Amino acid sequence: MLDVSVRAGILRLLQRLVHDGEMAMVFITHDLSIVASVCDELAVMYRGRFVEHGPVAEVLRRPLHPYTRALIAAVPVPDPSVTPVPLPAKLLAGGAVPHRGCRFAPRCDFAIAACEASEPGLEDVVPEHRAACLRVREISL
Ligand code: SF4
């Protein structure tokens, strides 16, 4: 783990290189609190599959997939007056990847029988914003 000031310096350098047009970058992180300042697009991966993709501001403002929502809910808020929302026990329990169906189903509060039948692929839900969830239009729009 890098010191906060060293990390900030590295992120500034990466931003400058990208915005000066000197390079493109794929930035892989578990820290969603910094992606908005570094990235133009955000792709969320769960156990080897992309479950959501879109412009970074749009995905952070309106997450469509239940896993993306959980990741965003887990970002600490640096304000002692804000009470963190507890994550669902089912989500924290983890579990093995199922042999069929949506691989997030064992941890998903919205799972129904159809989710265990086939694995959803990424589909456009709104322009430029894709998610891999059978129920995305019911639970997110
Ligand atoms: S397809 Fe079903 S189990 Fe998978 S994320 Fe969507 S609602 Fe949850």
Side-chain angles (χ1 to χ4, degrees):
M1 185 65 134
L2 294 173
D3 173 83
V4 172
S5 59
V6 173
R7 187 173 79 154
I10 291 171
L11 289 174
R12 276 196 302 275
L13 173 62
L14 291 172
Q15 286 171 308
R16 188 176 60 74
L17 289 170
V18 170
H19 290 124
D20 288 353
E22 296 177 31
M23 63 179 224
M25 175 172 66
V26 176
F27 186 75
I28 300 171
T29 182
H30 285 99
D31 186 352
L32 284 184
S33 68
I34 58 174
V35 293
S37 63
V38 179
C39 304
D40 299 317
E41 293 182 37
L42 174 59
V44 177
M45 181 174 268
Y46 179 74
R47 293 191 167 181
R49 291 283 176 95
F50 288 115
V51 296
E52 185 155 354
H53 171 253
V56 66
E58 158 74 8
V59 174
L60 294 176
R61 184 178 60 81
R62 181 168 52 173
L64 299 174
H65 195 278
Y67 181 59
T68 309
R69 291 193 205 174
L71 286 177
I72 291 172
V75 173
V77 177
D79 180 347
S81 69
V82 174
T83 305
V85 177
L87 295 172
K90 189 176 178 183
L91 178 73
L92 298 173
V97 177
H99 294 297
R100 326 189 303 154
C102 175
R103 60 189 58 205
F104 190 61
R107 304 175 79 182
C108 183
D109 275 346
F110 303 101
I112 56 175
C115 302
E116 296 171 12
S118 63
E119 183 159 37
L122 278 177
E123 287 184 20
D124 286 335
V125 180
V126 293
E128 298 183 52
H129 192 174
R130 293 169 276 286
C133 172
L134 293 178
R135 303 189 68 197
V136 67
R137 288 176 175 80
E138 293 170 64
I139 65 178
S140 299
L141 298 180

PDB file of all heavy atoms in Angstrom, residues 51 65-67 101-112 114-116 118-120 132-136 139, ligand 1:
ATOM      1  N   VAL A  51     -19.624  -7.146 -15.888  1.00  0.00           N
ATOM      2  CA  VAL A  51     -21.050  -7.070 -15.544  1.00  0.00           C
ATOM      3  C   VAL A  51     -21.623  -5.684 -15.812  1.00  0.00           C
ATOM      4  O   VAL A  51     -22.841  -5.512 -15.792  1.00  0.00           O
ATOM      5  CB  VAL A  51     -21.312  -7.483 -14.072  1.00  0.00           C
ATOM      6  CG1 VAL A  51     -20.954  -8.950 -13.860  1.00  0.00           C
ATOM      7  CG2 VAL A  51     -20.569  -6.587 -13.096  1.00  0.00           C
ATOM      8  N   HIS A  65     -25.973  -2.644 -12.291  1.00  0.00           N
ATOM      9  CA  HIS A  65     -25.837  -4.028 -11.826  1.00  0.00           C
ATOM     10  C   HIS A  65     -25.773  -4.064 -10.296  1.00  0.00           C
ATOM     11  O   HIS A  65     -25.122  -3.204  -9.683  1.00  0.00           O
ATOM     12  CB  HIS A  65     -24.560  -4.645 -12.417  1.00  0.00           C
ATOM     13  CG  HIS A  65     -24.515  -6.125 -12.287  1.00  0.00           C
ATOM     14  ND1 HIS A  65     -24.114  -6.743 -11.120  1.00  0.00           N
ATOM     15  CD2 HIS A  65     -24.832  -7.116 -13.157  1.00  0.00           C
ATOM     16  CE1 HIS A  65     -24.179  -8.060 -11.291  1.00  0.00           C
ATOM     17  NE2 HIS A  65     -24.614  -8.305 -12.520  1.00  0.00           N
ATOM     18  N   PRO A  66     -26.412  -5.060  -9.669  1.00  0.00           N
ATOM     19  CA  PRO A  66     -26.367  -5.132  -8.199  1.00  0.00           C
ATOM     20  C   PRO A  66     -24.947  -5.196  -7.633  1.00  0.00           C
ATOM     21  O   PRO A  66     -24.693  -4.655  -6.547  1.00  0.00           O
ATOM     22  CB  PRO A  66     -27.138  -6.419  -7.884  1.00  0.00           C
ATOM     23  CG  PRO A  66     -28.052  -6.603  -9.043  1.00  0.00           C
ATOM     24  CD  PRO A  66     -27.306  -6.077 -10.239  1.00  0.00           C
ATOM     25  N   TYR A  67     -24.013  -5.804  -8.357  1.00  0.00           N
ATOM     26  CA  TYR A  67     -22.635  -5.852  -7.842  1.00  0.00           C
ATOM     27  C   TYR A  67     -21.991  -4.466  -7.861  1.00  0.00           C
ATOM     28  O   TYR A  67     -21.322  -4.071  -6.907  1.00  0.00           O
ATOM     29  CB  TYR A  67     -21.803  -6.838  -8.669  1.00  0.00           C
ATOM     30  CG  TYR A  67     -20.376  -6.950  -8.183  1.00  0.00           C
ATOM     31  CD1 TYR A  67     -20.094  -7.359  -6.889  1.00  0.00           C
ATOM     32  CD2 TYR A  67     -19.303  -6.643  -9.024  1.00  0.00           C
ATOM     33  CE1 TYR A  67     -18.788  -7.445  -6.426  1.00  0.00           C
ATOM     34  CE2 TYR A  67     -18.003  -6.731  -8.577  1.00  0.00           C
ATOM     35  CZ  TYR A  67     -17.752  -7.135  -7.284  1.00  0.00           C
ATOM     36  OH  TYR A  67     -16.458  -7.220  -6.839  1.00  0.00           O
ATOM     37  N   GLY A 101     -25.929 -20.289 -15.138  1.00  0.00           N
ATOM     38  CA  GLY A 101     -26.643 -19.088 -14.754  1.00  0.00           C
ATOM     39  C   GLY A 101     -25.729 -17.941 -14.372  1.00  0.00           C
ATOM     40  O   GLY A 101     -24.516 -17.973 -14.582  1.00  0.00           O
ATOM     41  N   CYS A 102     -26.345 -16.926 -13.802  1.00  0.00           N
ATOM     42  CA  CYS A 102     -25.608 -15.727 -13.410  1.00  0.00           C
ATOM     43  C   CYS A 102     -24.653 -16.058 -12.266  1.00  0.00           C
ATOM     44  O   CYS A 102     -25.081 -16.579 -11.227  1.00  0.00           O
ATOM     45  CB  CYS A 102     -26.600 -14.647 -12.969  1.00  0.00           C
ATOM     46  SG  CYS A 102     -25.786 -13.163 -12.333  1.00  0.00           S
ATOM     47  N   ARG A 103     -23.384 -15.742 -12.452  1.00  0.00           N
ATOM     48  CA  ARG A 103     -22.399 -16.084 -11.413  1.00  0.00           C
ATOM     49  C   ARG A 103     -22.555 -15.233 -10.150  1.00  0.00           C
ATOM     50  O   ARG A 103     -21.996 -15.568  -9.120  1.00  0.00           O
ATOM     51  CB  ARG A 103     -20.977 -16.017 -11.967  1.00  0.00           C
ATOM     52  CG  ARG A 103     -20.544 -14.674 -12.492  1.00  0.00           C
ATOM     53  CD  ARG A 103     -19.207 -14.795 -13.219  1.00  0.00           C
ATOM     54  NE  ARG A 103     -19.309 -15.757 -14.310  1.00  0.00           N
ATOM     55  CZ  ARG A 103     -18.265 -16.434 -14.797  1.00  0.00           C
ATOM     56  NH1 ARG A 103     -17.064 -16.236 -14.312  1.00  0.00           N
ATOM     57  NH2 ARG A 103     -18.438 -17.284 -15.778  1.00  0.00           N
ATOM     58  N   PHE A 104     -23.322 -14.149 -10.239  1.00  0.00           N
ATOM     59  CA  PHE A 104     -23.551 -13.324  -9.051  1.00  0.00           C
ATOM     60  C   PHE A 104     -24.774 -13.797  -8.254  1.00  0.00           C
ATOM     61  O   PHE A 104     -25.018 -13.332  -7.146  1.00  0.00           O
ATOM     62  CB  PHE A 104     -23.724 -11.856  -9.477  1.00  0.00           C
ATOM     63  CG  PHE A 104     -23.738 -10.877  -8.340  1.00  0.00           C
ATOM     64  CD1 PHE A 104     -22.644 -10.737  -7.497  1.00  0.00           C
ATOM     65  CD2 PHE A 104     -24.849 -10.090  -8.094  1.00  0.00           C
ATOM     66  CE1 PHE A 104     -22.656  -9.850  -6.430  1.00  0.00           C
ATOM     67  CE2 PHE A 104     -24.880  -9.182  -7.039  1.00  0.00           C
ATOM     68  CZ  PHE A 104     -23.774  -9.057  -6.199  1.00  0.00           C
ATOM     69  N   ALA A 105     -25.541 -14.740  -8.797  1.00  0.00           N
ATOM     70  CA  ALA A 105     -26.815 -15.141  -8.185  1.00  0.00           C
ATOM     71  C   ALA A 105     -26.705 -15.548  -6.711  1.00  0.00           C
ATOM     72  O   ALA A 105     -27.557 -15.156  -5.906  1.00  0.00           O
ATOM     73  CB  ALA A 105     -27.463 -16.253  -9.005  1.00  0.00           C
ATOM     74  N   PRO A 106     -25.663 -16.301  -6.289  1.00  0.00           N
ATOM     75  CA  PRO A 106     -25.622 -16.684  -4.871  1.00  0.00           C
ATOM     76  C   PRO A 106     -25.505 -15.500  -3.909  1.00  0.00           C
ATOM     77  O   PRO A 106     -25.791 -15.640  -2.727  1.00  0.00           O
ATOM     78  CB  PRO A 106     -24.360 -17.565  -4.780  1.00  0.00           C
ATOM     79  CG  PRO A 106     -24.129 -18.059  -6.168  1.00  0.00           C
ATOM     80  CD  PRO A 106     -24.586 -16.944  -7.061  1.00  0.00           C
ATOM     81  N   ARG A 107     -25.091 -14.335  -4.436  1.00  0.00           N
ATOM     82  CA  ARG A 107     -24.905 -13.164  -3.571  1.00  0.00           C
ATOM     83  C   ARG A 107     -25.924 -12.060  -3.852  1.00  0.00           C
ATOM     84  O   ARG A 107     -25.823 -10.985  -3.282  1.00  0.00           O
ATOM     85  CB  ARG A 107     -23.492 -12.611  -3.771  1.00  0.00           C
ATOM     86  CG  ARG A 107     -22.420 -13.648  -3.529  1.00  0.00           C
ATOM     87  CD  ARG A 107     -21.052 -13.122  -3.849  1.00  0.00           C
ATOM     88  NE  ARG A 107     -20.567 -12.291  -2.768  1.00  0.00           N
ATOM     89  CZ  ARG A 107     -19.398 -11.651  -2.796  1.00  0.00           C
ATOM     90  NH1 ARG A 107     -18.618 -11.761  -3.847  1.00  0.00           N
ATOM     91  NH2 ARG A 107     -19.025 -10.931  -1.777  1.00  0.00           N
ATOM     92  N   CYS A 108     -26.865 -12.321  -4.750  1.00  0.00           N
ATOM     93  CA  CYS A 108     -27.742 -11.259  -5.241  1.00  0.00           C
ATOM     94  C   CYS A 108     -29.101 -11.289  -4.546  1.00  0.00           C
ATOM     95  O   CYS A 108     -29.792 -12.315  -4.565  1.00  0.00           O
ATOM     96  CB  CYS A 108     -27.923 -11.402  -6.748  1.00  0.00           C
ATOM     97  SG  CYS A 108     -28.933 -10.089  -7.466  1.00  0.00           S
ATOM     98  N   ASP A 109     -29.502 -10.166  -3.997  1.00  0.00           N
ATOM     99  CA  ASP A 109     -30.815 -10.052  -3.347  1.00  0.00           C
ATOM    100  C   ASP A 109     -31.958 -10.093  -4.356  1.00  0.00           C
ATOM    101  O   ASP A 109     -33.109 -10.244  -3.957  1.00  0.00           O
ATOM    102  CB  ASP A 109     -30.900  -8.745  -2.552  1.00  0.00           C
ATOM    103  CG  ASP A 109     -30.319  -8.874  -1.166  1.00  0.00           C
ATOM    104  OD1 ASP A 109     -30.101 -10.016  -0.717  1.00  0.00           O
ATOM    105  OD2 ASP A 109     -30.076  -7.832  -0.535  1.00  0.00           O
ATOM    106  N   PHE A 110     -31.660  -9.907  -5.633  1.00  0.00           N
ATOM    107  CA  PHE A 110     -32.712  -9.847  -6.643  1.00  0.00           C
ATOM    108  C   PHE A 110     -32.821 -11.152  -7.443  1.00  0.00           C
ATOM    109  O   PHE A 110     -33.593 -11.224  -8.388  1.00  0.00           O
ATOM    110  CB  PHE A 110     -32.444  -8.687  -7.611  1.00  0.00           C
ATOM    111  CG  PHE A 110     -32.335  -7.359  -6.920  1.00  0.00           C
ATOM    112  CD1 PHE A 110     -31.092  -6.798  -6.663  1.00  0.00           C
ATOM    113  CD2 PHE A 110     -33.466  -6.682  -6.504  1.00  0.00           C
ATOM    114  CE1 PHE A 110     -30.985  -5.582  -6.015  1.00  0.00           C
ATOM    115  CE2 PHE A 110     -33.372  -5.470  -5.855  1.00  0.00           C
ATOM    116  CZ  PHE A 110     -32.127  -4.907  -5.596  1.00  0.00           C
ATOM    117  N   ALA A 111     -32.057 -12.169  -7.079  1.00  0.00           N
ATOM    118  CA  ALA A 111     -32.017 -13.407  -7.863  1.00  0.00           C
ATOM    119  C   ALA A 111     -33.383 -14.095  -7.858  1.00  0.00           C
ATOM    120  O   ALA A 111     -34.073 -14.149  -6.840  1.00  0.00           O
ATOM    121  CB  ALA A 111     -30.949 -14.338  -7.312  1.00  0.00           C
ATOM    122  N   ILE A 112     -33.766 -14.607  -9.031  1.00  0.00           N
ATOM    123  CA  ILE A 112     -34.976 -15.415  -9.182  1.00  0.00           C
ATOM    124  C   ILE A 112     -34.553 -16.695  -9.909  1.00  0.00           C
ATOM    125  O   ILE A 112     -33.387 -16.833 -10.327  1.00  0.00           O
ATOM    126  CB  ILE A 112     -36.070 -14.669  -9.984  1.00  0.00           C
ATOM    127  CG1 ILE A 112     -35.526 -14.225 -11.347  1.00  0.00           C
ATOM    128  CG2 ILE A 112     -36.586 -13.468  -9.186  1.00  0.00           C
ATOM    129  CD1 ILE A 112     -36.577 -13.576 -12.250  1.00  0.00           C
ATOM    130  N   ALA A 114     -35.010 -17.778 -12.847  1.00  0.00           N
ATOM    131  CA  ALA A 114     -34.483 -17.581 -14.207  1.00  0.00           C
ATOM    132  C   ALA A 114     -32.999 -17.227 -14.190  1.00  0.00           C
ATOM    133  O   ALA A 114     -32.271 -17.527 -15.144  1.00  0.00           O
ATOM    134  CB  ALA A 114     -35.276 -16.487 -14.916  1.00  0.00           C
ATOM    135  N   CYS A 115     -32.518 -16.609 -13.127  1.00  0.00           N
ATOM    136  CA  CYS A 115     -31.111 -16.214 -13.046  1.00  0.00           C
ATOM    137  C   CYS A 115     -30.191 -17.434 -12.977  1.00  0.00           C
ATOM    138  O   CYS A 115     -29.006 -17.331 -13.270  1.00  0.00           O
ATOM    139  CB  CYS A 115     -30.873 -15.337 -11.824  1.00  0.00           C
ATOM    140  SG  CYS A 115     -31.872 -13.837 -11.793  1.00  0.00           S
ATOM    141  N   GLU A 116     -30.734 -18.567 -12.574  1.00  0.00           N
ATOM    142  CA  GLU A 116     -29.911 -19.770 -12.457  1.00  0.00           C
ATOM    143  C   GLU A 116     -29.922 -20.589 -13.740  1.00  0.00           C
ATOM    144  O   GLU A 116     -29.239 -21.605 -13.836  1.00  0.00           O
ATOM    145  CB  GLU A 116     -30.408 -20.614 -11.284  1.00  0.00           C
ATOM    146  CG  GLU A 116     -30.240 -19.876  -9.954  1.00  0.00           C
ATOM    147  CD  GLU A 116     -30.910 -20.595  -8.792  1.00  0.00           C
ATOM    148  OE1 GLU A 116     -31.303 -21.759  -8.968  1.00  0.00           O
ATOM    149  OE2 GLU A 116     -31.037 -19.962  -7.730  1.00  0.00           O
ATOM    150  N   SER A 118     -29.487 -19.286 -17.156  1.00  0.00           N
ATOM    151  CA  SER A 118     -28.503 -18.886 -18.163  1.00  0.00           C
ATOM    152  C   SER A 118     -27.779 -17.634 -17.694  1.00  0.00           C
ATOM    153  O   SER A 118     -28.345 -16.806 -16.976  1.00  0.00           O
ATOM    154  CB  SER A 118     -29.176 -18.618 -19.511  1.00  0.00           C
ATOM    155  OG  SER A 118     -30.068 -17.546 -19.397  1.00  0.00           O
ATOM    156  N   GLU A 119     -26.531 -17.519 -18.130  1.00  0.00           N
ATOM    157  CA  GLU A 119     -25.726 -16.383 -17.698  1.00  0.00           C
ATOM    158  C   GLU A 119     -25.986 -15.188 -18.612  1.00  0.00           C
ATOM    159  O   GLU A 119     -25.795 -15.278 -19.824  1.00  0.00           O
ATOM    160  CB  GLU A 119     -24.241 -16.745 -17.722  1.00  0.00           C
ATOM    161  CG  GLU A 119     -23.382 -15.595 -17.214  1.00  0.00           C
ATOM    162  CD  GLU A 119     -22.017 -16.067 -16.757  1.00  0.00           C
ATOM    163  OE1 GLU A 119     -21.474 -16.979 -17.386  1.00  0.00           O
ATOM    164  OE2 GLU A 119     -21.516 -15.519 -15.765  1.00  0.00           O
ATOM    165  N   PRO A 120     -26.427 -14.062 -18.054  1.00  0.00           N
ATOM    166  CA  PRO A 120     -26.696 -12.902 -18.903  1.00  0.00           C
ATOM    167  C   PRO A 120     -25.409 -12.284 -19.436  1.00  0.00           C
ATOM    168  O   PRO A 120     -24.387 -12.256 -18.743  1.00  0.00           O
ATOM    169  CB  PRO A 120     -27.429 -11.929 -17.963  1.00  0.00           C
ATOM    170  CG  PRO A 120     -27.028 -12.336 -16.590  1.00  0.00           C
ATOM    171  CD  PRO A 120     -26.699 -13.800 -16.634  1.00  0.00           C
ATOM    172  N   ALA A 132     -24.985  -6.656 -17.399  1.00  0.00           N
ATOM    173  CA  ALA A 132     -25.273  -8.074 -17.597  1.00  0.00           C
ATOM    174  C   ALA A 132     -26.155  -8.545 -16.435  1.00  0.00           C
ATOM    175  O   ALA A 132     -25.663  -9.061 -15.436  1.00  0.00           O
ATOM    176  CB  ALA A 132     -23.971  -8.883 -17.656  1.00  0.00           C
ATOM    177  N   CYS A 133     -27.442  -8.319 -16.571  1.00  0.00           N
ATOM    178  CA  CYS A 133     -28.385  -8.682 -15.512  1.00  0.00           C
ATOM    179  C   CYS A 133     -29.758  -8.882 -16.139  1.00  0.00           C
ATOM    180  O   CYS A 133     -30.250  -7.995 -16.834  1.00  0.00           O
ATOM    181  CB  CYS A 133     -28.434  -7.598 -14.443  1.00  0.00           C
ATOM    182  SG  CYS A 133     -29.736  -7.849 -13.219  1.00  0.00           S
ATOM    183  N   LEU A 134     -30.362 -10.019 -15.884  1.00  0.00           N
ATOM    184  CA  LEU A 134     -31.681 -10.306 -16.459  1.00  0.00           C
ATOM    185  C   LEU A 134     -32.753  -9.332 -15.975  1.00  0.00           C
ATOM    186  O   LEU A 134     -33.717  -9.075 -16.668  1.00  0.00           O
ATOM    187  CB  LEU A 134     -32.129 -11.730 -16.074  1.00  0.00           C
ATOM    188  CG  LEU A 134     -31.340 -12.890 -16.640  1.00  0.00           C
ATOM    189  CD1 LEU A 134     -31.902 -14.193 -16.102  1.00  0.00           C
ATOM    190  CD2 LEU A 134     -31.368 -12.860 -18.157  1.00  0.00           C
ATOM    191  N   ARG A 135     -32.597  -8.816 -14.781  1.00  0.00           N
ATOM    192  CA  ARG A 135     -33.657  -8.001 -14.180  1.00  0.00           C
ATOM    193  C   ARG A 135     -33.311  -6.511 -14.146  1.00  0.00           C
ATOM    194  O   ARG A 135     -33.950  -5.749 -13.430  1.00  0.00           O
ATOM    195  CB  ARG A 135     -33.943  -8.494 -12.768  1.00  0.00           C
ATOM    196  CG  ARG A 135     -34.338  -9.955 -12.714  1.00  0.00           C
ATOM    197  CD  ARG A 135     -34.825 -10.330 -11.328  1.00  0.00           C
ATOM    198  NE  ARG A 135     -36.083  -9.654 -11.047  1.00  0.00           N
ATOM    199  CZ  ARG A 135     -36.589  -9.521  -9.821  1.00  0.00           C
ATOM    200  NH1 ARG A 135     -35.937  -9.993  -8.786  1.00  0.00           N
ATOM    201  NH2 ARG A 135     -37.734  -8.903  -9.631  1.00  0.00           N
ATOM    202  N   VAL A 136     -32.304  -6.120 -14.910  1.00  0.00           N
ATOM    203  CA  VAL A 136     -31.789  -4.759 -14.769  1.00  0.00           C
ATOM    204  C   VAL A 136     -32.863  -3.692 -14.975  1.00  0.00           C
ATOM    205  O   VAL A 136     -32.886  -2.681 -14.272  1.00  0.00           O
ATOM    206  CB  VAL A 136     -30.572  -4.538 -15.699  1.00  0.00           C
ATOM    207  CG1 VAL A 136     -30.971  -4.584 -17.165  1.00  0.00           C
ATOM    208  CG2 VAL A 136     -29.878  -3.253 -15.375  1.00  0.00           C
ATOM    209  N   ILE A 139     -35.057  -3.495 -11.735  1.00  0.00           N
ATOM    210  CA  ILE A 139     -34.451  -3.104 -10.452  1.00  0.00           C
ATOM    211  C   ILE A 139     -33.643  -1.814 -10.510  1.00  0.00           C
ATOM    212  O   ILE A 139     -33.305  -1.281  -9.475  1.00  0.00           O
ATOM    213  CB  ILE A 139     -33.552  -4.239  -9.893  1.00  0.00           C
ATOM    214  CG1 ILE A 139     -32.363  -4.493 -10.807  1.00  0.00           C
ATOM    215  CG2 ILE A 139     -34.357  -5.503  -9.679  1.00  0.00           C
ATOM    216  CD1 ILE A 139     -31.411  -5.558 -10.289  1.00  0.00           C
TER     217      ILE A 139
HETATM  218  S1  SF4 B   1     -29.196 -11.798 -13.394  1.00  0.00           S
HETATM  219 FE1  SF4 B   1     -30.329 -12.218 -11.523  1.00  0.00          FE
HETATM  220  S2  SF4 B   1     -28.819 -12.940 -10.044  1.00  0.00           S
HETATM  221 FE2  SF4 B   1     -27.697 -11.968 -11.717  1.00  0.00          FE
HETATM  222  S3  SF4 B   1     -27.398  -9.870 -11.027  1.00  0.00           S
HETATM  223 FE3  SF4 B   1     -29.288  -9.880 -12.215  1.00  0.00          FE
HETATM  224  S4  SF4 B   1     -30.954 -10.216 -10.726  1.00  0.00           S
HETATM  225 FE4  SF4 B   1     -29.012 -10.752  -9.737  1.00  0.00          FE
END
